[in-house]
Amino acid sequence: MKRILLTTLLMAGIVAGATAQKGKLNQAKSSYDNYNAMTSLKQTEEAQKSLNEAKAVIEEVIAHEKTMNEPEAYLYKSLIYSAIANDSTMQDAASEPVQVAYDALAKAKELNKENSVKEEDMKIAEENIYVASYNKGINAYNNQSFDTALKFFKVATEVKPTDTTLYLNTGVTAEKVGDTALAIASYSKLAELKYKDPAIYAVLANLYFSQKQEEEALGALQKGLELFPGNKDLMITELNYYLQRGEAAKVIDKIAASAQADPGNKSLWFALGVAYNEIDSTSAAEEAYAKALEIDPNYYDANINMGVIAIDNANKIVQEANKIPQDKAQEYEAKIAEYKEALKGALTYLEKAYSSGQRDRNLLSTMREIYVKLGDTARAEELTKELETL
């Protein structure tokens, strides 16, 4: 009888111990709920007190052998620590609340074999961790703590692996710290997700080029051009690669074929003009830029490049004038008149670019210099004043 009674008493003690720890878990949950309630009522002091209580109690629950494998305990540890991470008044309550919350959630998922914790509750914890890690990453970046920013972006990405903004932020930050491999991995993920910004593919290609990974770089450009046919930045990046290899004709034929297939695409004609410029085929470049301007007379880049070509032609004329003997004044004056007409032709394009509203110092300085040479001091003075405001 004594033995049976003793066994019964021991069993009663075990049950009571487990029940007590369940009660502790409920206490942690209640304190956490009270924190949310007090926060919504803007009772900061009471909210802090409840969250500190929840933190202390959940640590007891996690440490106890009877509840240390309860998925719900880890879920609430994640919720509590992510609340600490998201509450600016609680930053001293835990040194690494985001990582603690993330690890606790991972443990909750690992232990949740019988689905005793609902998926929607897990999602709440995930969202809280995401918000905390994203915001901390942005704050660290703005404070130029780039390594810290990367740490938080990594956590946020693991919680939300399809958030393209995070891969973009990670890639940019990785470039800041010189981690080319991580930058490539981040931009490659954006490419995999078919990110809707052609600049990403050009950046990715240039990073590959910097690592002598030419095949991967060309693959990135090709993928970008498939998504954004005729994008001039991608085509020019590709053009520069072939120019460096002495294979300009290869890419010029490709761009020309694309322009012929899509004649209404101004970017294709512009890229073709740039390609011809690079091999000093000026007349062909002018024809290509002219086609781009037929499609869009206000095309800034094409107007600028046509203006540059006109200025180059004017400079050739003045060089010819300078070779004329001094005793042939009439011939010299005729050549100078031709030079000024060429400058006026350049201004036609440059003024068109100016009318777009873009204010580039090089453009304004070039225009001012031309107006001075043409004797239009009033317009030159206007441009001088405008330059002073930039």
Side-chain angles (χ1 to χ4, degrees):
M1 288 295 291
K2 285 182 179 178
R3 171 175 274 177
I4 294 172
L5 180 61
L6 180 60
T7 303
T8 302
L9 287 171
L10 285 172
M11 289 178 65
I14 291 169
V15 171
T19 302
Q21 289 309 306
K22 286 287 187 181
K24 285 282 189 182
L25 177 56
N26 287 334
Q27 182 184 341
K29 291 161 63 175
S30 177
S31 295
Y32 173 72
D33 291 341
N34 193 57
Y35 160 75
N36 287 324
M38 292 298 101
T39 298
S40 65
L41 293 172
K42 301 187 183 305
Q43 296 187 22
T44 304
E45 190 173 334
E46 285 299 316
Q48 288 179 339
K49 180 180 176 182
S50 294
L51 193 53
N52 279 321
E53 287 174 356
K55 175 179 175 287
V57 176
I58 202 65
E59 291 295 356
E60 288 183 38
V61 174
I62 294 294
H64 199 282
E65 61 181 324
K66 300 303 179 186
T67 45
M68 64 191 309
N69 291 315
E70 287 287 336
E72 190 176 28
Y74 286 95
L75 169 67
Y76 269 86
K77 181 172 182 176
S78 181
L79 289 169
I80 290 164
Y81 274 87
S82 60
I84 291 170
N86 279 307
D87 191 326
S88 60
T89 67
M90 295 290 295
Q91 295 308 296
D92 293 331
S95 58
E96 292 288 351
V98 171
Q99 191 63 50
V100 173
Y102 178 78
D103 293 342
L105 181 60
K107 189 67 175 178
K109 291 179 178 180
E110 176 190 330
L111 295 171
N112 197 34
K113 294 181 174 63
E114 297 180 3
N115 297 317
S116 58
V117 174
K118 296 178 181 179
E119 183 65 24
E120 52 263 38
D121 292 332
M122 297 281 198
K123 291 293 184 186
I124 292 171
E126 283 182 351
E127 184 63 25
N128 290 351
I129 293 168
Y130 166 78
V131 170
S133 54
Y134 182 86
N135 288 340
K136 285 178 177 291
I138 293 295
N139 287 337
Y141 182 91
N142 290 338
N143 290 323
Q144 299 192 11
S145 299
F146 301 123
D147 288 323
T148 301
L150 280 176
K151 179 184 71 174
F152 286 119
F153 288 148
K154 181 175 182 292
V155 173
T157 301
E158 288 173 355
V159 174
K160 281 196 175 182
T162 58
D163 187 335
T164 54
T165 302
L166 287 169
Y167 292 110
L168 178 61
N169 290 349
T170 301
V172 170
T173 310
E175 286 192 82
K176 291 282 188 183
V177 300
D179 191 338
T180 303
L182 179 57
I184 285 175
S186 300
Y187 295 138
S188 294
K189 189 65 179 180
L190 286 174
E192 181 184 317
L193 295 170
K194 297 183 178 179
Y195 190 65
K196 300 299 184 183
D197 184 351
I200 289 301
Y201 301 88
V203 170
L204 179 57
N206 284 324
L207 286 171
Y208 275 129
F209 281 136
S210 74
Q211 301 301 300
K212 311 300 182 186
Q213 294 175 264
E214 296 181 357
E215 185 176 338
E216 290 83 355
L218 292 173
L221 289 173
Q222 185 59 38
K223 185 162 189 174
L225 286 168
E226 287 172 4
L227 292 171
F228 306 97
N231 180 268
K232 69 179 178 66
D233 293 327
L234 292 171
M235 287 188 294
I236 290 172
T237 301
E238 185 180 39
L239 170 64
N240 288 335
Y241 167 74
Y242 284 110
L243 285 170
Q244 291 171 4
R245 292 170 59 90
E247 299 176 6
K250 184 175 181 179
V251 73
I252 285 175
D253 290 344
K254 180 179 177 181
I255 298 173
S258 297
Q260 293 295 337
D262 186 8
N265 189 325
K266 66 180 182 180
S267 294
L268 286 170
W269 292 111
F270 177 78
L272 184 59
V274 172
Y276 281 127
N277 258 145
E278 292 293 338
I279 61 170
D280 295 323
S281 184
T282 306
S283 59
E286 283 185 282
E287 288 179 17
Y289 292 140
K291 286 185 178 293
L293 290 172
E294 284 176 15
I295 298 165
D296 179 5
N298 297 312
Y299 191 1
Y300 182 86
D301 292 337
N303 276 306
I304 290 291
N305 285 13
M306 284 290 269
V308 170
I309 289 174
I311 291 170
D312 287 342
N313 290 335
N315 288 335
K316 290 175 184 177
I317 294 170
V318 82
Q319 287 170 8
E320 293 173 5
N322 290 334
K323 294 177 183 178
I324 297 173
Q326 291 185 359
D327 59 351
K328 295 185 177 181
Q330 190 173 354
E331 183 180 338
Y332 175 80
E333 291 300 329
K335 189 61 73 173
I336 291 300
E338 184 183 346
Y339 163 67
K340 290 183 177 180
E341 285 302 311
L343 288 180
K344 290 177 183 178
L347 280 176
T348 301
Y349 294 109
L350 298 181
E351 284 286 7
K352 195 70 174 178
Y354 176 88
S355 68
S356 71
Q358 295 190 46
R359 292 296 177 264
D360 178 80
R361 289 194 66 88
N362 288 333
L363 171 60
L364 297 182
S365 295
T366 301
M367 290 173 64
R368 179 180 62 180
E369 184 179 347
I370 293 173
Y371 277 113
V372 168
K373 289 178 178 178
L374 293 176
D376 189 341
T377 55
R379 180 64 175 132
E381 183 61 27
E382 289 175 1
L383 292 165
T384 298
K385 290 180 179 177
E386 197 166 351
L387 277 164
E388 289 171 355
T389 66
L390 297 180

